[in-house]
Amino acid sequence: MDARIHPPSAFGISLGDAHIIRNAGGSARDALRSLVISQQLLGTTEVLLIKHTGCGMLTFSNADAHGVVEKQLGKEAEKELEGLDFLPFGDLDEAVREEVGWLRGSKAIPDNVAVSGWVYEVETGKHQLIQKMAALHNDGIIANQISSESERLDFAGVDVGEGLARI
């Protein structure tokens, strides 16, 4: 959702190479409907969850967001959003790990879909792999699971291939 990031330029994506689903905080939960459509109707086979440094979702709590809504839009608007989780988070890397785990555990994401989580560093244009959980084999064993806080990649000019949905 961040206007500072232009996904095709930032990730070396050509037109038609990926379904890019953007929302506040790069939330998998918020994107689930679009992910299901992307996979079940359009055939994507991999999900890259990408959050970024300097994300505004790191700066507030649910109570803060609800308070702003009430102050700026009134009590009726706040009542309409009562119970809404704005999905803020306090630790970027941990939020990526949690979302990857949530996706991998979701019955709506098929076992044959690989899921990985990344942090895009707005300051440098580099990408950091936080967690990768490959597709499950037929016997239910995870084919490949990686957790790395030091692997840095620059995707510019890299062919990302087909069958990819990015959050």
Side-chain angles (χ1 to χ4, degrees), residues 6-27:
H6 183 254
S9 299
F11 302 104
I13 301 170
S14 296
L15 184 63
D17 279 351
H19 300 154
I20 300 171
I21 304 162
R22 297 177 73 155
N23 62 46
S27 170

Side-chain angles (χ1 to χ4, degrees), residues 2-161:
D2 193 307
R4 298 173 293 174
I5 303 167
H6 183 254
S9 299
F11 302 104
I13 301 170
S14 296
L15 184 63
D17 279 351
H19 300 154
I20 300 171
I21 304 162
R22 297 177 73 155
N23 62 46
S27 170
R29 288 170 175 82
D30 207 20
L32 185 59
R33 179 185 67 89
S34 295
L35 286 171
V36 169
I37 291 168
S38 178
Q39 292 166 9
Q40 298 305 305
L41 300 178
L42 303 172
T44 57
T45 58
E46 184 171 1
V47 174
L48 275 66
L49 180 120
I50 303 168
K51 295 184 182 287
H52 66 86
T53 56
C55 181
M57 301 300 284
L58 289 160
T59 66
F60 64 88
S61 67
N62 270 316
D64 295 333
H66 283 278
V68 167
V69 168
E70 185 172 343
K71 180 179 178 184
Q72 295 183 4
L73 300 175
K75 290 186 185 286
E76 288 183 22
E78 170 51 26
K79 183 162 180 65
E80 187 176 320
L81 300 178
E82 188 175 16
L84 176 69
D85 186 351
F86 284 92
L87 304 171
F89 47 88
D91 181 288
L92 190 58
D93 290 0
E94 184 56 35
V96 169
R97 284 187 200 91
E98 194 276 327
E99 297 254 11
V100 168
W102 184 84
L103 281 169
R104 183 69 291 148
S106 172
K107 299 300 182 200
I109 304 297
D111 288 344
N112 66 341
V113 171
V115 178
S116 60
W118 301 79
V119 170
Y120 174 75
E121 297 173 351
V122 174
E123 306 80 7
T124 66
K126 300 283 183 182
H127 307 74
Q128 180 181 5
L129 174 63
I130 304 300
Q131 186 169 21
K132 180 176 182 180
M133 298 182 86
L136 297 177
H137 289 296
N138 290 336
D139 59 7
I141 297 172
I142 296 176
N144 184 16
Q145 183 173 349
I146 300 170
S147 181
S148 169
E149 296 194 27
S150 61
E151 183 176 348
R152 297 189 184 277
L153 302 173
D154 184 349
F155 283 131
V158 174
D159 179 12
V160 296

